[in-house]
Amino acid sequence: MSSSLRFDRGHTDDLMAFLMASPSPYHAVAAAAERLEKAGFRQVEETAAWDGTSGGKYVLRGGAIVAWYVPEGTAAHTPYRIVGAHTDSPNLRVKPLPDTGAYGWRQVAVEIYGGTLLNTWLDRDLGLAGRISLRDGTHRLVNIDRPLLRVPQLAVHLDRSANPDGLKLDRQKHMQPIWGLGDVEEGDLIRFVAEEAGVDAADVTGWDLMPHPVEPPAYLGRDRELLAGPRMDNLLSVHAAAAALAAVAGQPDSELPYIPVMAAFDHEENGSQSDTGADGPLLGTVLERSVFARGGAYEDRARAFAGTVCLSSDTGHAIHPNYAERHDPTHHPVVNGGPILKVNVNMRYATDGSGRAVFAAACRKADVPWQTFVSNNSMPCGTTIGPITAARHGIQTVDIGVAILSMHSARELCGADDPYLLANALAAFLAG
């Protein structure tokens, strides 16, 4: 990889800003698009006719973004190099009828999204973000980034068993945040959100809103070698992919044997089955339209897909010093040890030996150390968009990521060096 593409600790500083700007998947794709725009990319509409011009382009759909760079003179059958990620994180989501409460407390009715660690949302100052849908068919991003909500924990005096026996939370009864005092008024929350967004509440016809912790990311540790922050699963990968794609697009076109792509999907945390999820048609449609816009036919599409490789980048588990027995005894990924290759022979991860070679070559080219993650045989293994991408599109896919602690917590922990080590590896992969 060219020395001009090297990322350093400044990349981690920018990741912190990205996390703060991305309290929802909709904000995350807007923040990624903003960075790509600065690198010369332009948005194309799915409803418009596409041309075969070269350069950087991207498509936005809800909480998903697909961006790609076509070098000058690229043949229609040129394969892609894809970095896949996801924009959603486990959290709380506002219900369609949000106004609730009891005993003089005004509360917001929420659903539990994904496999969040419920206790990490207790006694935490929360803002409210997402998007509202307007009567004219447009959407408006909303980010109330100040202490507004709180899920109060029951005092230990009223639950003496909480410490010896463990905290037990009812997902329906115990997770509804408070946001004020007084009688419950129907439509109150949306009137408040509309006012914050500068629109008439009567024009709001739908909403996708979610609480978020307002505490900013921070370096942690004696030597500031750790990074604590929200939504690193998986905005850390989204940010790295956008940075790598923008950097690679700045290289001379003659040095790019592939078409570099980033694809960040929504709804990974609940199965990816949506029009913006990895199990939907978005990625395949974008890649096919790019082939056809450059004058290609089905044969070109088949050739391009056959030579394509995707790195599915998602966070993984670092060895936990307090629970080492939960990890595989011979595979101990550590923070600041470089990105991890994720392997599962039952295809919960899509990596095989051939994919391992591709990833190892990218890390070697970028002069980045890397590690391997395998689950303990006694523990169920999680999964990613990797197997879905491989099966749906017939694309060779390799599962990788960054090792973290506190995965699915409202506030996660990684090594401060790993984000830029990942970005360097991704840039080397995309550049071919």
Side-chain angles (χ1 to χ4, degrees):
M1 183 172 63
S2 168
S3 60
S4 64
L5 294 185
R6 296 294 300 182
F7 298 104
D8 55 22
R9 185 60 75 89
H11 174 88
T12 306
D13 293 338
D14 189 64
L15 169 61
M16 296 168 73
F18 184 81
L19 293 173
M20 284 297 291
S22 307
S24 78
Y26 315 106
H27 289 84
V29 298
E34 180 182 7
R35 284 160 170 75
L36 292 172
E37 289 272 357
K38 291 178 180 177
F41 284 69
R42 61 181 178 86
Q43 184 177 0
V44 293
E45 299 292 339
E46 291 188 84
T47 54
W50 291 7
D51 58 43
T53 56
S54 60
K57 304 171 185 180
Y58 67 90
V59 164
L60 296 181
R61 183 193 290 185
I65 180 171
V66 180
W68 65 104
Y69 181 82
V70 180
E72 187 73 35
T74 299
H77 62 268
T78 300
Y80 299 94
R81 281 287 178 101
I82 305 168
V83 175
H86 66 88
T87 61
D88 60 319
S89 301
N91 61 4
L92 312 177
R93 302 286 176 103
V94 174
K95 288 184 176 180
L97 300 176
D99 300 294
T100 188
Y103 305 106
W105 294 101
R106 292 160 66 195
Q107 295 175 274
V108 176
V110 297
E111 280 190 277
I112 311 301
Y113 178 83
T116 187
L117 285 168
L118 296 179
N119 64 294
T120 67
W121 289 84
L122 301 179
D123 297 334
R124 193 179 291 273
D125 295 338
L126 304 173
L128 191 66
R131 69 176 182 179
I132 53 177
S133 302
L134 304 181
R135 192 181 303 277
D136 62 4
T138 62
H139 303 285
R140 184 74 60 89
L141 294 184
V142 179
N143 183 10
I144 306 170
D145 195 30
R146 64 179 186 272
L148 178 69
L149 308 166
R150 183 181 177 93
V151 184
Q153 187 169 188
L154 185 64
V156 70
H157 312 77
L158 303 178
D159 184 8
R160 296 290 184 179
S161 65
N163 285 328
D165 299 333
L167 181 65
K168 296 179 175 60
L169 294 171
D170 184 292
R171 293 162 64 91
Q172 177 62 36
K173 293 168 56 179
H174 299 153
M175 297 306 297
Q176 309 307 311
I178 61 173
W179 76 300
L181 301 173
D183 297 331
V184 176
E185 296 182 33
E186 184 178 351
D188 198 21
L189 179 71
I190 299 307
R191 282 192 294 270
F192 170 75
V193 171
E195 182 179 353
E196 290 284 324
V199 301
D200 191 328
D203 290 331
V204 178
T205 56
W207 50 87
D208 302 281
L209 299 170
M210 55 205 74
H212 67 275
V214 297
E215 182 182 4
Y219 288 111
L220 185 146
R222 184 192 67 179
D223 299 318
R224 292 163 54 89
E225 69 268 53
L226 301 171
L227 176 66
R231 301 177 295 279
M232 287 196 283
D233 178 13
N234 186 32
L235 295 187
L236 188 158
S237 294
V238 175
H239 176 259
L245 178 60
V248 169
Q251 289 188 251
D253 285 1
S254 59
E255 297 182 10
L256 297 178
Y258 304 98
I259 297 174
V261 181
M262 72 163 285
F265 303 100
D266 202 351
H267 302 130
E268 189 272 349
E269 297 293 356
N270 61 9
S272 296
Q273 292 186 319
S274 69
D275 69 321
T276 53
D279 203 18
L282 179 60
L283 176 61
T285 298
V286 168
L287 300 183
E288 289 177 348
R289 291 186 68 178
S290 178
V291 169
F292 299 150
R294 284 177 280 120
Y298 182 81
E299 182 71 9
D300 298 292
R301 179 262 188 216
R303 292 174 65 187
F305 277 44
T308 292
V309 183
C310 174
L311 291 188
S312 165
S313 182
D314 202 347
T315 55
H317 302 293
I319 181 73
H320 197 304
N322 298 339
Y323 301 91
E325 73 281 0
R326 303 295 181 96
H327 298 265
D328 183 82
T330 59
H331 294 78
H332 293 162
V334 296
V335 299
N336 287 335
I340 57 174
L341 179 75
K342 302 160 80 170
V343 179
N344 179 263
V345 294
N346 294 302
M347 287 291 105
R348 299 291 285 173
Y349 303 131
T351 306
D352 62 10
S354 176
R356 183 184 191 275
V358 172
F359 177 64
C363 291
R364 184 169 58 250
K365 181 179 179 181
D367 193 24
V368 165
W370 60 279
Q371 313 173 79
T372 303
F373 171 82
V374 178
S375 287
N376 186 307
N377 285 327
S378 299
M379 305 291 294
C381 181
T383 190
T384 69
I385 66 167
I388 295 171
T389 301
R392 181 171 183 82
H393 305 294
I395 290 172
Q396 182 183 18
T397 304
V398 189
D399 271 297
I400 67 161
V402 161
I404 71 171
L405 293 181
S406 306
M407 187 184 293
H408 287 196
S409 169
R411 193 168 178 85
E412 297 161 324
L413 183 71
C414 75
D417 296 339
D418 282 329
Y420 69 79
L421 293 176
L422 174 65
N424 282 316
L426 295 184
F429 166 75
L430 290 176

